[in-house]
Amino acid sequence: MAAIDMLNGAIDSFQDEVKLLQEEKRQVVSANVELETAKMMLHKLQMKMDSNPMNMKGQLVLLEQQVSRFLCSKETSINSDKIQKKLKAARRVELEFVEMQRMNKELELEKRKLTLNLVDAKARTKALSYMTQIYKESYGN
């Protein structure tokens, strides 16, 4: 009878161990999914940051060159309405450029935040892996 009770206790212990390991596995899978999501978001943000400011800066330089050519020419007094429109357009592009720089800073901050989340997810994954290893070493397979 004592042997049966001891075997039942061992079975219960193994079943508890299986439940713990399944929970740890679920947590590791969840952390890995979160890690992959963070990596994809970082990649998308990097693509946005790389493309937007360059286009706006090029447009701004082009418009500034056009405005300076118009100001230097003799036709400025005759075509002052056109020049005013070009100057307004240049100001608009300059404002857009400043807005893009602001957005770039926001994206950089968001990238930092996601990087911290990524580092946190990696640390949790490593900790769970370490805990699983310690558990296995302590209780055997």
Side-chain angles (χ1 to χ4, degrees):
M1 198 64 163
I4 292 174
D5 288 339
M6 188 172 72
L7 288 175
N8 283 334
I11 289 171
D12 290 340
S13 174
F14 285 132
Q15 287 174 343
D16 290 341
E17 183 179 338
V18 166
K19 287 178 185 176
L20 285 173
L21 289 174
Q22 287 173 342
E23 177 61 25
E24 285 182 28
K25 179 182 176 185
R26 187 192 62 75
Q27 288 176 354
V28 168
V29 168
S30 174
N32 283 335
V33 167
E34 188 177 324
L35 179 67
E36 288 303 315
T37 303
K39 282 180 182 179
M40 288 184 347
M41 290 179 72
L42 280 174
H43 180 70
K44 287 179 183 178
L45 286 173
Q46 188 66 42
M47 296 296 287
K48 283 182 184 179
M49 287 174 38
D50 289 345
S51 66
N52 289 338
M54 294 302 170
N55 293 337
M56 294 305 289
K57 188 166 185 159
Q59 289 178 354
L60 180 62
V61 168
L62 181 64
L63 279 174
E64 286 178 346
Q65 289 173 351
Q66 290 175 350
V67 169
S68 66
R69 273 188 263 141
F70 280 117
L71 290 175
C72 293
S73 71
K74 295 178 184 178
E75 298 175 12
T76 56
S77 61
I78 299 170
N79 298 323
S80 63
D81 286 340
K82 290 182 181 179
I83 292 172
Q84 291 300 323
K85 288 179 184 178
K86 294 288 183 178
L87 286 172
K88 286 180 183 178
R91 286 187 206 121
R92 257 187 271 121
V93 169
E94 189 172 343
L95 287 174
E96 287 179 14
F97 179 72
V98 170
E99 178 66 18
M100 293 302 292
Q101 285 179 325
R102 182 191 62 78
M103 286 175 55
N104 190 29
K105 289 294 181 186
E106 287 178 4
L107 289 172
E108 287 175 1
L109 292 174
E110 190 172 342
K111 179 182 174 184
R112 285 182 194 159
K113 179 183 171 188
L114 288 172
T115 301
L116 289 174
N117 287 344
L118 179 63
V119 168
D120 181 51
K122 285 181 179 179
R124 285 190 294 151
T125 302
K126 188 173 182 178
L128 285 172
S129 175
Y130 179 73
M131 288 170 38
T132 302
Q133 181 183 0
I134 295 298
Y135 186 81
K136 286 181 180 178
E137 290 175 3
S138 296
Y139 295 99
N141 290 331

